[in-house]
Amino acid sequence: MSQKINGVKGMNDLLPGEIEIWQFVESTARTLFGRFGYGEVRTPMVEDTALFVRSVGEETDIVGKEMYTFEDKGGRSLSLRPEGTAPAARAYIEHSVNNQEPVSRWFYMGPMFRYERMKTGRYRQFSQIGAEAYGAKEPAQDAELMDVVVQFLEALGLTDVTLNINSLGDDNCRPAYHAKLVEYLNAHKEELCADCQQRLERNPLRVLDCKNEKCQAVAAAGPNVLEFLCEPCRAHFTDLQRKLGVLGIRYVVNHRLVRGLDYYTRTVFEFIASHPALGTASTVGGGGRYDKMMKGLGGPDVPAVGFAMGLDRLVLLLKESGKTFAQRPDLFIAVADEGSQDEGLKLASRLRREGLKVDFDTRGGSLKSQMKRADKSGARFTLVLGEQERTTGQAKLKPMAGGEPVPVALDSVAATVRAQPEAPAPAPAC
Ligand code: AMP
């Protein structure tokens, strides 16, 4: 017997039954981001490795440890994208979008790849929905972007999520904070976990978001980045908070929020869910301002702010909500005899063309077995087609939730089904 081949570790298949939740999240995002004027952008899944090294940063976990990097047949170093901000920025620069409009608002969705240690809510291929606003440095833009996320989560029905915000300052004020932090952490090096002792050398800010309790205790007592902000950065952060107040968005200021990427300046934020289903993978999304990135990538001096949400985690939360996302069939067509099989196939085809969602068992079989399948399908109605129905052109719609059958002419099934009031879905038979 041939050996079975399994999918790649950390990369999941999405099958019907679950995919409907994903489609709900994706279509909600499209509608909502559209309302805010964000247009969809699709970039390739593979980019020049240097793009991520220069934007996300060589010393970050993502670039240092987690990228799927390979050489193509032409000897170029390419990487599967680990995130969407840098590819969108690359496309923005490459297409000189800043010469066409002063402000651009883009969103994207799709798979990202990171070679991470797996657990619930953390995978090696995962999906993000993200948005980027280019060209506005004002705090109102940061607030508007957070409003997108707030309204997106509301539209999904996910309300138990807390917005955390912080400011990391800019090139002017961050070096002093950085120096103080390194000095402080070095004095407490022995108390840090092994990972953080290494982070201290490579990327000290990352120590602040380590989940280890001892590291958190050290971080909590350390220097507060907000006390180091220069006047313009302080004013930006104060105004952002005022704008969030104007929009009625609730938030907490968390001075230990740093995020794991190098490109942020000033505002950073995260949306954290409190549901136990996510375990320690409780951050459903995050983002921040990256005013220097475009220039650093050889592009124009354009300020930008963006976020990314993890779809896998949103889907986990929606699964917990117990809501149904699959659209049930309007009608199940069962055939009473072999001679009605072709007519049944034809009727199903016609009704689908007329816009109904119709289930029809192409295997035929006994009427009893077809009725069992009709029950299982969750269809609103079943129509049995036999010789009598074919001859008279009249049939009955049997409501699967119970109740009186509705007489129907075979040439007006779609209209009759549509005219019936919606009853709750029947519990599917086991
Ligand atoms: P980041 O780009 O690291 O800021 O991540 C933004 C969001 O993407 C996170 O808040 C998560 O919801 C999601 N995310 C990041 N990494 C993973 C992963 N390995 N598996 C699943 N979701 C992830």
Side-chain angles (χ1 to χ4, degrees):
M1 203 171 68
S2 309
Q3 217 184 343
K4 191 172 73 158
I5 298 172
N6 291 324
V8 176
K9 206 170 160 191
M11 305 196 180
N12 301 318
D13 299 312
L14 300 172
L15 306 184
E18 184 184 354
I19 201 79
E20 292 81 3
I21 311 182
W22 288 76
Q23 290 166 340
F24 167 67
V25 177
E26 289 161 3
S27 66
T28 306
R30 285 208 164 83
T31 308
L32 201 100
F33 294 3
R35 271 185 213 161
F36 279 81
Y38 286 70
E40 183 170 356
V41 54
R42 295 187 195 181
T43 59
M45 246 163 275
V46 176
E47 297 276 355
D48 187 328
T49 301
L51 173 67
F52 301 110
V53 174
R54 273 168 57 192
S55 54
V56 176
E58 197 152 17
E59 298 303 331
T60 57
D61 283 354
I62 294 179
V63 171
K65 298 200 267 193
E66 297 167 357
M67 275 209 301
Y68 283 85
T69 298
F70 59 96
E71 218 175 73
D72 76 357
K73 293 195 194 310
R76 304 169 194 92
S77 177
L78 303 180
S79 294
L80 293 184
R81 61 181 185 194
E83 57 99 61
T85 297
R90 195 259 318 131
Y92 178 90
I93 296 167
E94 198 164 327
H95 298 278
S96 306
V97 180
N98 63 308
N99 291 335
Q100 298 152 40
E101 53 187 18
V103 173
S104 304
R105 294 185 171 92
W106 288 0
F107 80 90
Y108 60 85
M109 56 175 88
M112 307 293 159
F113 303 84
R114 295 182 196 171
Y115 194 81
E116 292 210 67
R117 218 175 298 153
M118 288 169 310
K119 56 179 182 181
T120 306
R122 177 160 299 150
Y123 312 105
R124 292 182 175 167
Q125 176 177 326
F126 58 99
S127 277
Q128 286 186 337
I129 292 187
E132 318 287 345
Y134 306 110
K137 61 180 183 333
E138 288 70 19
Q141 186 56 65
D142 308 32
E144 186 209 67
L145 202 77
M146 293 178 204
D147 196 25
V148 174
V149 184
V150 168
Q151 293 201 31
F152 176 48
L153 292 170
E154 269 170 23
L156 295 178
L158 300 174
T159 45
D160 209 2
V161 180
T162 308
L163 168 60
N164 280 234
I165 61 168
N166 192 20
S167 175
L168 299 178
D170 62 9
D171 288 349
N172 190 25
C173 52
R174 199 181 322 171
Y177 165 69
H178 202 269
K180 194 82 188 166
L181 179 69
V182 171
E183 185 190 317
Y184 169 81
L185 291 176
N186 267 319
H188 293 80
K189 193 168 176 177
E190 300 308 312
E191 297 155 55
L192 299 175
C193 71
D195 275 354
C196 280
Q197 294 194 4
Q198 283 190 3
R199 284 182 188 131
L200 178 50
E201 306 301 325
R202 301 192 343 253
N203 192 355
L205 279 180
R206 281 309 304 269
V207 174
L208 301 190
D209 58 11
C210 178
K211 297 280 185 278
N212 182 300
E213 273 178 28
K214 278 193 187 159
C215 301
Q216 287 190 350
V218 172
N224 179 343
V225 64
L226 297 172
E227 287 166 11
F228 287 79
L229 295 185
C230 58
E231 204 34 53
C233 286
R234 187 185 309 280
H236 194 277
F237 193 51
T238 306
D239 203 25
L240 166 63
Q241 293 178 68
R242 201 183 59 75
K243 293 279 194 303
L244 290 175
V246 166
L247 290 170
I249 294 175
R250 278 186 293 171
Y251 62 91
V252 292
V253 175
N254 173 0
H255 76 89
R256 274 153 53 202
L257 177 64
V258 289
R259 320 244 321 119
L261 302 87
D262 276 2
Y263 51 59
Y264 291 117
T265 45
R266 293 189 169 167
T267 313
V268 286
F269 59 97
E270 268 181 5
F271 284 83
I272 298 169
S274 57
H275 201 288
L278 292 182
T280 52
S282 57
T283 307
V284 290
R289 183 160 273 291
Y290 50 99
D291 292 345
K292 304 277 175 226
M293 191 213 273
M294 293 287 188
K295 240 183 143 187
L297 290 175
D301 192 5
V302 171
V305 57
F307 72 79
M309 310 283 293
L311 243 98
D312 304 72
R313 295 184 190 175
L314 296 175
V315 168
L316 275 173
L317 289 174
L318 286 169
K319 268 191 198 161
E320 291 294 316
S321 75
K323 283 188 205 149
T324 315
F325 295 91
Q327 195 203 342
R328 59 184 172 137
D330 298 301
L331 184 68
F332 189 99
I333 297 176
V335 291
D337 48 65
E338 190 72 32
S340 302
Q341 181 74 6
D342 284 358
E343 278 307 309
L345 184 67
K346 218 164 99 183
L347 179 63
S349 170
R350 171 161 65 79
L351 294 176
R352 288 164 182 153
R353 189 166 281 126
E354 292 172 15
L356 287 196
K357 183 171 157 84
V358 180
D359 205 347
F360 173 71
D361 195 332
T362 45
R363 297 170 304 173
S366 72
L367 185 57
K368 193 169 161 208
S369 64
Q370 289 178 72
M371 290 311 283
K372 263 197 198 155
R373 287 175 218 137
D375 256 344
K376 209 163 178 188
S377 76
R380 284 182 70 201
F381 297 99
T382 296
L383 183 153
V384 178
L385 191 68
E387 201 182 337
Q388 188 189 333
E389 286 78 12
R390 286 192 283 126
T391 335
T392 59
Q394 297 291 322
K396 287 199 176 104
L397 293 174
K398 176 176 182 285
M400 300 307 281
E404 286 301 305
V406 181
V408 65
L410 286 181
D411 56 9
S412 61
V413 175
T416 312
V417 167
R418 283 200 190 96
Q420 302 307 307
E422 271 284 349
C430 306

